[in-house]
Amino acid sequence: MKQFALMLLALCLLLGGCSKIFEGSYYHVEPHQNQNSPLVQDNIMVSNYVGLCSALIGYVESGVESGLIFVPNYDQTYIGQDIPTAINHVMTTNPIAAWAVEDITCEPGSSGGQHAVAVSITYTHDRTEIRKIHRVTDAEGIQNIISGVLTDFGTGVVMLLPADQALDYAQYVDSYADTYPQTVIEKPQVVVNIYPDSGYTRLVELKFTYQTNRDSLRTMQDQVHSVFESAAAYISSYEQEAEKYQRLYYFLMEFLIEGDYQLETSITPAYSLLRHGVGDKKAFATVFAAMCRESGLDCQVVSGTRGGEAWYWNLIAIDGEYSHLDLLRCRENGKFAPYSDEEMDGYVWDYSAFPVAS
């Protein structure tokens, strides 16, 4: 009987091997079944305030929910006041903690005869979301990440970056969508959150909201890309730049329903213009410019006024010489016709922002 009792005791010890028994203000840390689980972390040892902060930051950036920090060499006179200070420091200065953590609690006590601190962290963004944070170092990297998310109609992105590399994110989204209307079928509404308010490193959270569902946007994107591919093929046999611009103009006009169009604004400018003949002045100019660029032609979008009304048109380069091209004016006159600066009667634009059209 005694032998059976000893065997039973040994079995209980094996099954409860993950438990931590404490003497002090708390009793134990709940056992976990997977010793390698990244959500629980044990056996970290620190001896001062800096080490305590580093340990907490390590927990947060790994998405750890609970753990033990051993402090046998920490001056116990100060640890009681250092703990709340360290928690506040981490939650207010560490970008990931400021974004992802709801609360950190640290309870001092002992484990196995050593002074220790039991840590518990609750998150507003879990470990999976923390792992998806993009770490970037320069403006080009930031732009590439945002562009990729926009191309795939993602609902947002989170980036960790140096504070001196911050962009005007909403402006970049707006500019990218205007430059690539064949890719960004609908320009999303943008919400920007930055954590924390100061510091050398910031976490930037961008949230994108669309009126059209993702599957529909992808279908529209495929259809628009097909038209762009057809446009590039349509002018591929022409060698002169003037001919290519002219042929692209006629190609675009052929996509207007029954040779006509509705001058209206749409949330899906390239798709609406190419598939339904519905578009405003900006849609005409941005779609034509994008078609030109995909065909290797230099084409810019100019914003200004015509006859006192807000207007958009293009600036094209033929053999190195720039000319204005207003597609709607061409449509009104029934012919493709580039103009110099002097011939743009009634138009006003920022002359310093664009090359001279001679």
Side-chain angles (χ1 to χ4, degrees):
M1 186 71 176
K2 180 178 179 181
Q3 190 174 21
F4 175 76
L6 289 173
M7 292 176 62
L8 183 61
L9 176 60
L11 181 60
C12 290
L13 290 173
L14 285 171
L15 293 174
C18 291
S19 299
K20 299 292 183 180
I21 307 301
F22 289 82
E23 307 88 26
S25 59
Y26 51 85
Y27 300 101
H28 70 281
V29 172
E30 292 294 329
H32 54 282
Q33 298 193 2
N34 182 359
Q35 289 274 32
N36 297 319
S37 170
L39 301 181
V40 181
Q41 185 76 43
D42 295 336
N43 301 326
I44 292 178
M45 187 172 293
V46 303
S47 60
N48 53 40
Y49 173 79
V50 173
L52 180 60
C53 290
S54 296
L56 292 177
I57 290 172
Y59 280 174
V60 166
E61 295 187 351
S62 299
V64 170
E65 295 176 351
S66 62
L68 277 177
I69 300 175
F70 287 93
V71 289
N73 300 319
Y74 204 117
D75 189 335
Q76 299 302 302
T77 306
Y78 298 106
I79 195 167
Q81 65 187 40
D82 283 355
I83 286 174
T85 304
I87 291 173
N88 180 70
H89 173 77
V90 171
M91 292 190 65
T92 56
T93 64
N94 180 265
I96 296 178
W99 173 71
V101 173
E102 180 179 359
D103 188 36
I104 300 176
T105 59
C106 295
E107 195 172 349
S110 62
S111 174
Q114 296 188 78
H115 291 294
V117 176
V119 180
S120 179
I121 306 175
T122 55
Y123 294 87
T124 54
H125 298 279
D126 62 23
R127 175 170 163 261
T128 301
E129 293 175 283
I130 291 173
R131 281 185 166 183
K132 291 180 179 178
I133 296 172
H134 296 269
R135 288 166 169 79
V136 291
T137 58
D138 54 31
E140 182 179 359
I142 297 169
Q143 293 171 357
N144 288 339
I145 289 170
I146 296 174
S147 302
V149 175
L150 291 172
T151 298
D152 196 40
F153 311 111
T155 56
V157 64
V158 180
M159 300 175 290
L160 192 66
L161 47 88
D164 61 359
Q165 293 297 324
L167 300 176
D168 185 334
Y169 301 101
Q171 177 59 43
Y172 178 75
V173 170
D174 189 72
S175 175
Y176 187 82
D178 288 344
T179 303
Y180 299 98
Q182 76 277 32
T183 296
V184 186
I185 299 301
E186 179 187 335
K187 188 183 302 182
Q189 296 293 317
V190 182
V191 174
V192 182
N193 296 311
I194 300 177
Y195 306 84
D197 294 332
S198 60
Y200 295 107
T201 305
R202 305 285 179 81
L203 186 142
V204 177
E205 177 186 52
L206 303 181
K207 296 181 179 180
F208 301 145
T209 303
Y210 299 87
Q211 296 184 46
T212 311
N213 69 67
R214 196 176 193 181
D215 288 341
S216 296
L217 288 172
R218 285 174 171 169
T219 299
M220 293 177 185
Q221 186 184 67
D222 289 341
Q223 293 175 346
V224 170
H225 279 166
S226 294
V227 176
F228 270 67
E229 290 172 359
S230 298
Y234 182 71
I235 68 167
S236 61
S237 61
Y238 296 92
E239 296 183 0
Q240 301 298 320
E241 287 184 336
E243 286 184 309
K244 290 185 177 183
Y245 284 115
Q246 186 176 18
R247 292 300 170 182
L248 271 182
Y249 163 76
Y250 287 120
F251 178 91
L252 179 58
M253 291 303 164
E254 287 179 3
F255 273 87
L256 303 180
I257 293 179
E258 296 180 356
D260 205 352
Y261 60 88
Q262 299 176 51
L263 200 59
E264 298 178 6
T265 300
S266 169
I267 62 170
T268 55
Y271 175 80
S272 296
L273 183 64
L274 297 177
R275 300 293 294 183
H276 302 292
V278 176
D280 57 16
K281 311 168 194 72
K282 187 175 183 180
F284 273 88
T286 55
V287 169
F288 185 75
M291 279 187 171
C292 288
R293 283 191 295 269
E294 287 216 351
S295 298
L297 299 172
D298 184 355
C299 184
Q300 302 176 43
V301 176
V302 184
S303 62
T305 61
R306 178 188 177 189
E309 180 183 354
W311 208 265
Y312 291 85
W313 64 96
N314 297 106
L315 192 68
I316 61 176
I318 301 175
D319 300 326
E321 297 290 335
Y322 284 93
S323 301
H324 295 275
L325 182 68
D326 183 345
L327 301 185
L328 294 178
R329 182 178 178 182
C330 291
R331 185 71 178 173
E332 292 167 4
N333 296 332
K335 63 178 181 178
F336 175 86
Y339 295 95
S340 66
D341 285 348
E342 290 74 16
E343 294 172 317
M344 294 294 283
D345 293 334
Y347 291 81
V348 177
W349 67 96
D350 182 357
Y351 302 97
S352 65
F354 298 94
V356 173
S358 58

